[in-house]
Amino acid sequence: MTLRIIAVGNLNRRDDGAGILAARAFRRSFKGDIDVVESIAEPASLLTAWGDVDTVIILDASAPAGKPGRIRSIVVGQDPLPKETSAASTHAFGLASALELANALGEAPATTIVLTIEGEDFGYGEGLSQHVAAAISNFVQAITDCTQAIARKRTTHA
Amino acid sequence: MPTKTIKVDYLARVEGEGALSLKIRDGIVQDAKLKIFEPPRFFEAFLRDRDFAEAPDITARICGICPVAYQMSAVHAMENAAGVRVTGPLRDLRRLLYCGEWIESHALHVFMLHAPDFLGFEDAVAMARDHGDIVRTGLAIKKAGNAIVTLVGGREIHPINVRVGGFYKTPSKASLKKLSESLAPARDHVLSVLTWAKALPFPEFEADYEMVALRHGAEYPFNEGRIASTKGLDADAANYESAFTERQEPHSTALHSIVNGRGAYLVGPMARFAINKDLLTPLAKEAATQLDIEHGCANPFKSILVRLIEILFAFEEALRLIESFEEPDAPAIRVEPRSATGVAATEAPRGLLYQRYDIGENGQITLAKIVPPTSQNQKTIEEDLRGVAQQYVSLPDEELQWRCEQTIRNYDPCISCSAHFLKLDVDRGPNEAVQ
């Protein structure tokens, strides 16, 4: 079983870049060997990004819902996925559409976990809003916990 | 008196926010409006007082689908103002980058946005369940376009490697050679879908368009050429504003354009094809013959076929450019700004993209004017809507709405660029029952 972390978002749309910034922080702090990539939330790119692995963790910012910085874990196929997790995509297809398309084509990874951090400000510019910036370390910890849970599952099934 | 109104509040599968309204009285379509209500984005104002060298990076942000086109028109306009001409391998790399954008943009539209209209699916996800092979092929084609833009432009979306005078960094011959290995199979994917595309159910509809595109004379146009039309226009980009007029319409935040003395005109793949089909590669000409459009195409629903021809051409052109590429001595030539006006028109995937800049003594932009293809096509889209709606006026509202939305998507409109999705409003009056 192979695992890849895919971060999506737009660093120039404030909190929309939280997934990418968390992925970079995770890459700096994590001592193990996990493939971490940044991708645009677009079907051709995402289908390529997860094409050769069976487990992916996707990091993205979620739309504001009153609790900026809130971290959620969504297991695709078990939990409902918000229609579009990115509020700042300039494209006709976002992450949710790409996941639905991959599923329709039978090309979705066996396990897809979407870790989201709720954003507050998706305006133009760089830098995270205060609440989201304060929650990034927790988001990185959530990524670590998720990878460890996947590793434990692998060991159990080995 | 039987009257009817059809309204679509948000048009799907287009980039940006727009709406459509039709007013029908006694079976006669009295009014058809493409309402663009996306707020103005003020890019022309953002550009004022910025350094001339910043224009390609700022204008690239106008659109996530066709940023290369904005960059290309910007750099050519700046070089025009400075009296500089970029030639040789740097010019070839610009054509290669444009090939990548055409492939990306056309493939997205053909396979993900437009094909569902013909096959009766709400979107590409629904289509993928029954036509998985076609969608996979489309994604593979698009991926190859993404790869060109990534290598030459620095990244897939909003490229960062374009500068006035050339590029920040040019790819090595070896990296281009490696890229070309993925392009030949992708080109063959295009050939594999021609029979499928030809069999799509095309509504019968043709119009006597004035088609406008660049005409270079020696090559299918991307970056250079005179502005030509199927009704005799032949103008240098410097005379664009004498040949065309932009005017405000109350129902749209995008300006409408007309050819002076005549009216609506059409830019984009059909126009480029009409004016430049003699300059396509033999394989692309052969494909046009296979699709029965070798003598031209005046049915906008068949623009999907023309886009396939252009994708095929772009792959062949990309392979040719890579084959003959020699690494330049420097990634860019030096461009010194001077107080002058610079203009350029290049061929965005959706058609002619005009930009004009006035540059001050210190290299600052004092005035910027940007005319994107969708705003130029807006009046023609409305004329098509009126014609199509009249031809299919007896259809039930739901089917008429579908046909009207399809009519708009024929143009792959980038509403974000032009102002910048669809609300349909069909008004058949109070006495005509909605079927």
Side-chain angles (χ1 to χ4, degrees):
Chain A
M1 189 162 67
T2 50
L3 167 67
R4 179 169 295 141
I5 295 173
I6 303 172
V8 298
N10 184 343
L11 290 169
N12 296 304
R13 294 297 294 268
R14 306 273 295 164
D15 291 342
D16 195 51
I20 289 177
L21 293 173
R24 291 177 184 176
F26 172 80
R27 199 188 278 144
R28 285 193 296 272
S29 64
F30 188 72
K31 305 297 179 198
D33 182 20
I34 291 182
D35 197 11
V36 182
V37 300
E38 294 171 17
S39 175
I40 56 171
E42 181 269 336
S45 300
L46 282 173
L47 264 68
T48 302
W50 65 52
D52 56 344
V53 296
D54 54 24
T55 305
V56 295
I57 301 171
I58 295 171
L59 311 179
D60 197 4
S62 63
K67 291 185 177 174
R70 176 173 54 171
I71 293 158
R72 289 196 301 167
S73 172
I74 300 163
V75 180
V76 175
Q78 293 178 21
D79 308 317
L81 197 64
K83 187 61 185 166
E84 284 301 347
T85 47
S86 169
S89 170
T90 58
H91 314 289
F93 290 82
L95 175 59
S97 301
L99 286 166
E100 280 182 52
L101 186 62
N103 200 36
L105 292 171
E107 294 184 8
T111 305
T112 303
I113 299 162
V114 180
L115 290 179
T116 66
I117 180 166
E118 186 177 316
E120 183 176 35
D121 178 0
F122 290 82
Y124 295 107
E126 295 177 337
L128 302 175
S129 65
Q130 187 184 349
H131 290 104
V132 174
I136 283 290
S137 57
N138 291 340
F139 196 35
V140 174
Q141 186 60 49
I143 302 167
T144 305
D145 294 345
C146 187
T147 60
Q148 289 172 347
I150 290 167
R152 280 196 299 275
K153 194 174 170 187
R154 281 182 184 172
T155 308
T156 309
H157 287 87
Chain B
M1 182 178 294
T3 55
K4 186 169 182 172
T5 301
I6 293 182
K7 289 174 79 171
V8 175
D9 288 343
Y10 285 95
L11 182 63
R13 285 182 272 132
V14 301
E15 176 69 19
E17 297 185 356
L20 163 64
S21 93
L22 288 180
K23 189 173 176 183
I24 302 166
R25 296 287 181 272
D26 295 326
I28 304 295
V29 178
Q30 293 189 333
D31 195 24
K33 283 193 174 75
L34 172 61
K35 297 179 175 175
I36 291 183
F37 53 82
E38 182 155 323
R41 297 166 70 210
F42 305 115
F43 268 90
E44 289 157 327
F46 295 156
L47 283 154
R48 281 189 198 169
D49 297 332
R50 304 303 295 235
D51 189 79
F52 82 108
E54 293 181 283
D57 287 324
I58 294 173
T59 55
R61 292 289 168 168
I62 292 174
C63 182
I65 310 286
C66 51
V68 170
Y70 284 92
Q71 293 187 311
M72 289 296 117
S73 288
V75 295
H76 281 279
M78 294 308 176
E79 290 156 10
N80 172 260
V84 167
R85 189 171 164 79
V86 171
T87 58
L90 296 175
R91 180 183 189 275
D92 288 351
L93 281 174
R94 286 180 170 175
R95 275 185 74 80
L96 178 60
L97 182 58
Y98 234 140
C99 287
E101 177 159 284
W102 278 22
I103 294 167
E104 274 186 331
S105 178
H106 281 357
L108 176 70
H109 188 255
V110 168
F111 296 98
M112 313 291 280
L113 305 177
H114 208 192
D117 275 333
F118 296 99
L119 298 170
F121 294 99
E122 188 186 345
D123 56 30
V125 174
M127 182 179 138
R129 295 187 185 102
D130 289 346
H131 298 269
D133 288 345
I134 291 292
V135 173
R136 276 189 204 92
T137 300
L139 288 169
I141 292 168
K142 184 174 187 304
K143 185 180 157 190
N146 289 6
I148 297 174
V149 175
T150 302
L151 180 63
V152 183
R155 62 183 181 191
E156 284 161 293
I157 304 294
H158 301 308
I160 47 170
N161 191 30
V162 172
R163 63 186 290 190
V164 178
F167 294 88
Y168 289 98
K169 183 183 175 188
T170 51
S172 66
K173 199 169 168 56
S175 64
L176 285 169
K177 176 83 179 154
K178 189 164 185 301
L179 171 69
S180 70
E181 289 166 10
S182 66
L183 301 185
R187 174 199 56 196
D188 295 345
H189 282 318
V190 183
L191 296 171
S192 74
V193 298
L194 295 180
T195 305
W196 162 81
K198 186 180 179 183
L200 291 171
F202 296 107
E204 291 293 334
F205 179 81
E206 291 196 346
D208 180 25
Y209 300 110
E210 175 159 9
M211 301 192 190
V212 174
L214 290 181
R215 170 81 183 171
H216 178 271
E219 59 193 14
Y220 204 80
F222 284 108
N223 286 293
E224 292 177 30
R226 290 179 65 78
I227 301 171
S229 90
T230 50
K231 295 193 175 174
L233 177 73
D234 177 24
D236 188 90
N239 297 323
Y240 178 92
E241 290 172 53
S242 308
F244 303 92
T245 297
E246 280 191 300
R247 62 186 185 201
Q248 205 275 329
E249 295 288 343
H251 62 280
S252 176
T253 53
L255 296 169
H256 282 211
S257 288
I258 55 164
V259 180
N260 289 336
R262 290 196 286 274
Y265 62 102
L266 179 154
V267 299
M270 280 171 53
R272 283 193 294 261
F273 181 73
I275 291 167
N276 298 282
K277 55 185 179 301
D278 59 310
L279 297 166
L280 289 166
T281 58
L283 188 63
K285 287 180 184 168
E286 203 177 302
T289 302
Q290 185 182 336
L291 295 172
D292 287 338
I293 56 170
E294 71 273 26
H295 300 300
C297 175
N299 179 345
F301 294 94
K302 291 188 176 177
S303 61
I304 192 171
L305 302 179
V306 180
R307 285 190 182 85
L308 282 170
I309 300 291
E310 285 200 331
I311 297 173
L312 183 59
F313 166 77
F315 274 123
E316 290 209 288
E317 178 68 358
L319 287 163
R320 183 191 72 77
L321 290 163
I322 292 172
E323 181 65 32
S324 63
F325 180 73
E326 294 296 337
E327 292 180 21
D329 296 332
I333 60 171
R334 194 174 171 81
V335 178
E336 291 292 342
R338 63 184 186 187
S339 178
T341 294
V343 301
T346 71
E347 285 288 348
R350 288 155 195 79
L352 199 72
L353 169 56
Y354 170 79
Q355 294 184 20
R356 171 167 68 86
Y357 297 95
D358 290 350
I359 311 295
E361 290 292 346
N362 53 4
Q364 282 183 322
I365 298 167
T366 57
L367 188 139
K369 181 180 175 72
I370 298 173
V371 187
T374 295
S375 67
Q376 295 178 74
N377 276 338
Q378 219 179 167
K379 192 167 170 53
T380 298
I381 295 173
E382 288 185 347
E383 290 187 0
D384 274 10
L385 276 170
R386 189 187 287 260
V388 169
Q390 189 62 62
Q391 188 169 322
Y392 294 96
V393 73
S394 56
L395 287 176
D397 278 5
E398 198 175 326
E399 289 176 41
L400 182 59
Q401 176 174 334
W402 181 283
R403 190 52 48 91
C404 288
E405 291 196 38
Q406 186 179 10
T407 301
I408 293 170
R409 282 191 288 268
N410 287 337
Y411 288 84
D412 187 14
C414 195
I415 292 170
S416 299
C417 282
S418 66
H420 24 28
F421 192 77
L422 185 69
K423 183 174 166 179
L424 173 63
D425 189 351
V426 181
D427 172 6
R428 295 189 195 247
N431 301 319
E432 190 162 322
V434 174
Q435 297 160 63

